Amino acid sequence: MRNKKQTWLIFCLIGAICFFADPQDVAAQPPLQQTVTTPNQLIDAVNSLRLANGLSTLAVHSALMQSAQSQANYMAATGAVTHERPGTTYTQQLLGLGFPLAGNLSLGGFRSENILSSGGSPLAWNEILVGWQDDLHMNTMLSPNYTHIGAGIAQGSGGYYYAVDAAAATGSGQMPSEASAILTSMPKGSNAAGASQYIVPVIINTALPSGDVYHQLQYGQTLWEIAIKYDTKIKSIQALNNLGNNLVVQQGQKLLVKRGATQPPPATPTSTAFVAPTPIALTPTASVVASPTLIVASPTLTPAPASSATSSPLLVGLLIVAAFVGAGVAVWVIRDPE
């Protein structure tokens, strides 16, 4: 009889535990971290938060890990908590790292980023980091549209700097067709000085005499960007360098980009030697002088002054003589009428 009572008591206790405790809720509670000092701790905390809210966990992607870590490094180096990426945009960086970003790329695509600075010692998770409890930051961690996650933590003079990148990949897992146009477009408000300081532009190298083309990676350069510049494919570069499916490359790494390429033809020097002129035999010809065309101006006619009869001295003398003769004849007739 006593054994039956003990058995009954045990069943009652088990039933009470099952009734008051939800196994899913117990397993989904975010782990309480005293301090968050590694990217994996941050990712685990975010995924536990998603489970606690009935959402699936986000898969870790190397491109998002690299973008988040580079942003944390940049913030630690500059001491500024910022989403800005000198010389590029967040969307361009993800595409350049080979992430098949879904959504309208002209509007940025489906991606989001949480950033934070501790201002001193590392932060404790304690359910949610203080500063990420508003709607916008919670959406980065709890959006059902996102499929992948990456995180980065860096220590600088201003303390610890945190970055969480979440994004949605295309359904096919392939790069969207408009990715090339987005990558080659100049980001708005980009700073040329900042671009040259933090992200070195790709300069195409010529082929060696063997036909091999090598490229040494500079800061900020990615496989996707190199493949576009050299007019090749990422998979070809991966195969030539035994990278497998790895998209993560390091600064200073020397990659074989192409084989069997042709070198540019040598420049033809411009000759400056003096070339003697060919003598020309001259045959004398008669000179032909064209008859000049005379242009005669119509003269302006001015009437000549009329000649005066009184201008002749002889005529005056004759008139005087005739007057005296006439007077003499008249006197003679009057004195001798017969």
Side-chain angles (χ1 to χ4, degrees), residues 172-202:
S172 63
Q174 302 296 319
M175 294 297 293
S177 58
E178 63 270 29
S180 297
I182 297 296
L183 274 172
T184 55
S185 63
M186 192 66 178
K188 294 181 180 179
S190 60
N191 187 315
S196 62
Q197 182 179 358
Y198 294 103
I199 297 180
V200 180
V202 175

Side-chain angles (χ1 to χ4, degrees), residues 225-246:
E225 185 181 9
I226 291 171
I228 290 177
K229 293 291 186 179
Y230 283 92
D231 193 23
T232 184
K233 303 293 184 182
I234 290 180
K235 290 189 177 298
S236 298
I237 299 177
Q238 289 172 328
L240 289 173
N241 297 274
N242 297 319
L243 297 178
N245 293 324
N246 189 12

Side-chain angles (χ1 to χ4, degrees), residues 39-58:
N40 286 336
Q41 287 178 329
L42 200 51
I43 291 172
D44 289 342
V46 171
N47 277 334
S48 296
L49 180 64
R50 290 178 66 88
L51 286 174
N53 287 271
L55 299 169
S56 60
T57 58
L58 300 176

Side-chain angles (χ1 to χ4, degrees), residues 109 142 146 184 188 213 221 244 305 324:
L142 298 179
Y146 296 145
T184 55
K188 294 181 180 179
V213 180
Q221 296 178 357
F324 278 107

Side-chain angles (χ1 to χ4, degrees), residues 212-232:
D212 292 345
V213 180
Y214 286 91
H215 182 88
Q216 189 166 10
L217 289 162
Q218 303 298 318
Y219 183 81
Q221 296 178 357
T222 64
L223 280 182
W224 181 264
E225 185 181 9
I226 291 171
I228 290 177
K229 293 291 186 179
Y230 283 92
D231 193 23
T232 184

